[in-house]
Each structure stands twice: as C-alpha cells, then as structure tokens.
Amino acid sequence: MRYLIDGYNLAYAMSLLTPGPQPPHRLELVRETLLLKVAGRHGPAGEEVTVVFDASRAKHRSTMPQSFQGVRVLFAQEESADDLIEDVLGREKTPRTLTVVSDDRRLQQSARRRGCPPLGCLDYMELLRAFRAPSPAVSAPELLKPGADPNLDKKHWLETFGDVDNDPKLRDDLDRFS
C-alpha cells in the first residue's frame, strides 16, 4: 500500500500542534516527531509514503523533495499543502493503490473522485498504534552470561537482600511513603 499524508492535518489530530501561531523551531520538532512515527510504521514494511507539509510562510525555501528515513517529504511553497496533494493526486497513474490520509473533506472528496481510498487521521493513528516492530525472539538462557548459573545468582541476591522485609528501618520508610 502507498500513502499520501496531509502532514499538519495529521499533526493536529495527534495533538502535536495546537491552533495559533507556532514558533519556527516548534514546527520543526513537530515534523520530526510525526515523520519518526510514520517512518517507524512504514519503513519496516517497505511501503511508499509521502508526507506533505505547508511551507508557504517558511523563511528557507527548498524546491527539492526531501527524504526522512525512507519517507518522502514535500513542502508546499507556492500553494497550500491541500493544493499540492490534489496536484499529486491528479498526476497519479495508479490511484487505487494510493491511500490519502487527511481529515480534510476537500482532500477526501478529491481522493474519492480519483479512485484513491481516503483514510481519516484517527483511523491512520490506529494503524500506527497497532503496529509493533518485531523484536528478536530471545530465550531466557541467552540472556544469561555464558557459564552463569541462575540458581547461584538467585542465591547470592537472596543472601544479600533476603532480610530486607525484616529490617525495621526499611519497614518504617515503606509505611511512611505508602
């Protein structure tokens, strides 16, 4: 599956942004946070993802698309992000394979007209939450140092700390903080 994401629309849905003016460094942090989440979900799956951000008021303008950990990043500079997303949709040769992520009705309608399935930001966020990067399976014996005997290690800790429950000072401290 391929995704075309309305960046700041998703950032608002994720509560990374609040309405009103934002200091420039805040927007950079928001973009990086969002892109880390998106790349973490799609990078391992090898899915093609493009995130579009509005940059019409940006001081530093770049005309080249950028990449962030395998996620293509576009900045709309002479037009709104919505306009740029619609331009991308209009040039799309295989629209049925492209999912548009946005809560913007205009973009959802444009996606439907082109045959692209739209996906709301909350539904997309569920995809992000449901994704768990596979962790390598490690069996308990692999966690031990080579040649270590787990019974000796347990015996050592019990001898060292076994009487902690009976220590009156520790008991008083526990009672005081409980």
Side-chain angles (χ1 to χ4, degrees), residues 101-165:
V101 177
S102 180
D103 286 335
D104 188 297
R105 287 185 189 169
R106 171 183 151 194
L107 291 179
Q108 290 182 348
Q109 289 172 347
S110 294
R112 284 187 193 97
R113 277 194 301 271
R114 287 285 294 143
C116 300
L119 186 64
C121 291
L122 292 178
D123 292 327
Y124 180 76
M125 288 165 51
E126 283 300 314
L127 282 178
L128 291 178
R129 280 189 204 103
F131 175 76
R132 299 284 184 255
S135 58
V138 178
S139 62
E142 293 175 20
L143 297 175
L144 298 174
K145 293 179 184 176
D149 182 349
N151 293 324
L152 288 177
D153 198 35
K154 181 178 177 182
K155 182 180 176 192
H156 165 75
W157 291 111
L158 283 174
E159 287 173 0
T160 305
F161 296 105
D163 61 345
V164 168
D165 287 336

Side-chain angles (χ1 to χ4, degrees), residues 22-81:
Q22 307 288 326
H25 67 280
R26 172 79 177 136
L27 291 176
E28 186 176 331
L29 290 173
V30 165
R31 285 191 302 268
E32 185 175 333
T33 300
L34 184 134
L35 291 170
L36 281 168
K37 290 179 183 290
V38 169
R41 162 63 174 91
H42 297 286
E47 296 171 317
E48 181 184 319
V49 181
T50 301
V51 179
V52 180
F53 293 105
D54 188 12
S56 59
R57 290 175 277 174
K59 292 179 184 176
H60 305 289
R61 296 180 180 222
S62 169
T63 57
M64 298 298 293
Q66 298 179 1
S67 180
F68 182 92
Q69 296 184 8
V71 174
R72 184 174 179 220
V73 182
L74 299 177
F75 292 96
Q77 296 174 353
E78 303 299 323
E79 58 191 344
S80 72

Side-chain angles (χ1 to χ4, degrees), residues 166-177:
N166 300 326
D167 186 327
K169 178 165 176 14
L170 288 176
R171 181 58 53 206
D172 290 342
D173 289 346
L174 275 174
D175 291 341
R176 191 175 44 193
F177 291 113

